[in-house]
């Protein structure tokens, strides 16, 4: 007879194993469903892209000037090889020499274009086995720091900022319209209440009591004082405009420091992929001409080599 406690323990273990298997199975099923859903969503998204837009995207990515340059030189190379083989034993030999030059144009032009195309490719993408490829991806941190320093040194150099701010000071003061603002403050209800308060305080002092003996009161003095206060507006604004210095309330070093912090935070979000995409968007379409010029100069070198071999 087996121990009932052992039987219960074994049964409990079997139940736990079964539950674990069910959980693992459910998790794997959920993962498969999620992956299937993602794939179906991707397929659905791609299926929504119009056919014309797909064709335009393919043309834009694979039919640039670089691809056309390599394709043309490839056609010339194939044509030259075929014609050389056809006219190898046919007289006069002048056609054979011409077709050899055509073949050289294609071979050297294609080699120059392919070399430059590979150099452009290595600039942006990591190619296994080729040391130095993927420069932008590998050096994206240095590129980020370089961008930050260029922005700071070009646009936020302290002396240049101070010169710019001082030059804009008059325009800013004019836009602020200090005259009307000071005039509005002096004629406001708040200024009127301040005058009442100050006159009341003055009347409570000995000099105010003397004025009271002379028949003066707050209501008598106020109409006399208010026009004088209101007339101070233009004078105060003129003095204020002459004595305001931009450097007193704007520090270029603080602005530069804040911009530096902002750029540092934003550039931390720039991953290697985003830096590569940014640089690629700016210059890759222009680098296609580098491939074309590789085709051209390669073709010229081919002509020179073939012509020089003919006249040996």
């Amino acid at each position: 007879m087996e121990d009932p406690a052992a039987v219960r323990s074994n049964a409990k273990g079997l139940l736990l194993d079964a539950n674990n298997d069910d959980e693992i199975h459910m998790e794997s099923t959920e993962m498969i469903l999620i992956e299937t859903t993602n794939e179906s969503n991707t397929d659905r998204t791609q299926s929504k892209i119009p056919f014309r837009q797909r064709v335009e995207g393919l043309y834009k990515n694979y039919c640039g000037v670089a691809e056309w340059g390599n394709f043309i030189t490839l056609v010339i190379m194939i044509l030259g090889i075929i014609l050389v083989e056809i006219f190898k034993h046919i007289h006069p030999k002048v056609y054979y020499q011409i077709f050899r030059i055509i073949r050289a144009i294609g071979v050297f032009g294609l080699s120059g274009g392919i070399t430059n195309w590979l150099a452009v490719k290595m600039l942006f993408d990591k190619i296994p086995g080729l040391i130095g490829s993927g420069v932008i991806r590998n050096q994206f941190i240095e590129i980020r720091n370089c961008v930050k320093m260029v922005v700071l040194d070009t646009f936020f150099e302290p002396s240049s900022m101070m010169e710019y701010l001082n030059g804009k000071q008059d325009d800013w003061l004019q836009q602020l319209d200090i005259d009307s603002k000071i005039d509005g403050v002096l004629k406001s209800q708040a200024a009127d209440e301040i005058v009442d308060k100050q006159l009341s305080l003055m009347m409570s002092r000995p000099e105010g009591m003397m004025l009271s003996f002379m028949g003066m009161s707050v209501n008598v003095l106020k109409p006399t004082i208010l026009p004088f206060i209101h007339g101070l507006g233009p004078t105060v604004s003129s003095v204020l405009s002459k004595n305001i210095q931009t450097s007193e309330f704007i520090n270029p070093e603080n602005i530069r420091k804040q911009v530096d912090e902002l750029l540092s935070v934003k550039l931390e979000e720039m991953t290697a992929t985003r830096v590569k995409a940014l640089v690629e968007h700016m210059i890759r379409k222009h680098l296609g001409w580098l491939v074309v010029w590789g085709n051209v100069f390669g073709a010229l070198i081919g002509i020179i080599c073939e012509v020089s071999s003919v006249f040996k």
Side-chain angles (χ1 to χ4, degrees), residues 107-118:
V107 172
F108 281 81
L110 182 62
S111 63
I114 290 294
T115 302
N116 288 359
W117 175 84
L118 185 60

Side-chain angles (χ1 to χ4, degrees), residues 31-159:
M31 291 297 294
I32 293 172
L33 288 173
I34 291 172
E35 292 177 357
T36 306
T37 304
N38 291 335
E39 290 177 358
S40 62
N41 289 336
T42 303
D43 295 338
R44 195 179 300 112
T45 303
Q46 291 179 352
S47 63
K48 291 181 180 179
I49 300 175
F51 176 76
R52 181 178 178 181
Q53 189 174 349
R54 291 186 188 180
V55 173
E56 290 177 353
L58 291 173
Y59 181 83
K60 182 178 179 180
N61 292 329
Y62 300 103
C63 295
V65 291
E67 287 74 17
W68 277 111
N70 286 333
F71 176 74
I72 291 172
T73 50
L74 175 64
V75 171
I76 294 173
M77 182 187 72
I78 295 173
L79 182 63
I81 292 173
I82 294 173
L83 292 175
V84 165
E85 292 299 321
I86 292 174
F87 286 86
K88 183 183 295 185
H89 304 292
I90 298 177
H91 294 280
K93 288 292 185 180
V94 64
Y95 295 111
Y96 174 69
Q97 299 298 339
I98 292 174
F99 294 140
R100 284 186 59 183
I101 293 175
I102 293 175
R103 183 183 64 181
I105 290 173
V107 172
F108 281 81
L110 182 62
S111 63
I114 290 294
T115 302
N116 288 359
W117 175 84
L118 185 60
V120 173
K121 181 73 174 175
M122 291 173 62
L123 183 65
F124 295 100
D125 301 315
K126 182 71 175 178
I127 301 176
L130 295 181
I131 300 174
S133 61
V135 175
I136 293 178
R137 279 183 172 274
N138 295 336
Q139 305 296 327
F140 78 99
I141 295 178
E142 287 77 4
I143 293 173
R144 291 189 321 193
N145 295 334
C146 181
V147 169
K148 183 179 77 171
M149 295 311 300
V150 167
V151 171
L152 290 175
D153 294 339
T154 303
F155 300 103
F156 296 96
E157 200 274 325
S159 60

Side-chain angles (χ1 to χ4, degrees), residues 15 77 168:
L15 288 173
M77 182 187 72
K168 289 291 183 179

Side-chain angles (χ1 to χ4, degrees), residues 3 21 36 55 209 240-241 269 276 283 297:
D3 187 6
D21 291 340
T36 306
V55 173
M209 294 180 181
L240 187 62
S241 300
E269 301 174 2
K276 170 187 172 286
I283 67 173
F297 286 111

Side-chain angles (χ1 to χ4, degrees), residues 157-169 172 246 252:
E157 200 274 325
S159 60
S160 299
M161 286 181 61
M162 199 69 252
E163 183 179 353
Y164 173 80
L165 294 173
N166 289 332
K168 289 291 183 179
Q169 178 174 306
W172 291 340
T246 307

